[in-house]
Amino acid sequence: MSTTARIAVLIPCYNEEAAIAKVVNDFKMTLPNGDVYVYDNNSKDKTAEVAHTAGAIVRTELRRGKGNVIRRMFADIEADIYLLVDGDDTYDAATAFLEGPDVPRALRRLVIEGRADVQRALTAREVDRAAG
């Protein structure tokens, strides 16, 4: 896999109207060559509309439950690297694929080279707890 890998940011959402624009904007700014997908899971608010306005590719999964949404995302979207985040601004987009305590250089290289299948990031809360 080359460094020009296709990156898909996957955001499953249920009633995330309050935070989704910030999440979409942050990931679009951090990964300008990536595609940001929001999968709305029958939200009762304006999650899908707000995400679309923020520039996300918006799709809907009618079957309730995050597991159904995640299965649909991976079935629908082709990419070299998938970045799965929450729509409530749990993950700091600025740390995506950067070297640092939660994304070591060696692991980043393994993901880019296609020798690792999964990389787990720390949530902002986990980073704050570790910093003490």
Side-chain angles (χ1 to χ4, degrees):
M1 186 181 313
S2 73
T3 56
T4 58
R6 294 174 301 157
I7 299 173
V9 179
L10 310 178
I11 312 172
C13 288
Y14 179 73
N15 292 337
E16 300 293 356
E17 177 184 1
I20 194 59
K22 179 181 184 311
V23 174
V24 170
N25 288 326
D26 288 353
F27 279 97
K28 287 182 76 60
M29 187 168 47
T30 301
L31 300 168
N33 296 322
D35 293 318
V36 177
Y37 294 88
V38 168
Y39 271 70
D40 184 65
N41 196 206
N42 295 311
S43 294
K44 304 291 185 218
D45 62 8
K46 295 180 181 178
T47 297
E49 180 183 326
V50 171
H52 177 73
T53 300
I57 300 163
V58 179
R59 297 187 179 162
T60 301
E61 172 54 52
L62 298 176
R63 292 175 297 159
R64 281 280 174 99
K66 192 171 186 176
N68 289 320
V69 178
I70 291 172
R71 277 190 293 279
R72 173 57 45 210
M73 290 174 154
F74 285 109
D76 289 354
I77 299 167
E78 289 293 324
D80 298 310
I81 297 172
Y82 299 92
L83 184 61
L84 178 65
V85 301
D86 292 332
D88 61 359
D89 201 26
T90 301
Y91 298 95
D92 182 358
T95 64
F97 295 106
L98 296 177
E99 295 166 12
D102 57 337
V103 188
R105 173 182 279 180
L107 187 53
R108 179 180 185 270
R109 190 172 344 114
L110 290 175
V111 170
I112 295 295
E113 292 172 0
R115 297 188 294 153
D117 292 330
V118 175
Q119 175 178 328
R120 183 190 181 280
L122 297 176
T123 65
R125 188 172 299 135
E126 291 170 322
V127 171
D128 289 344
R129 268 198 311 258

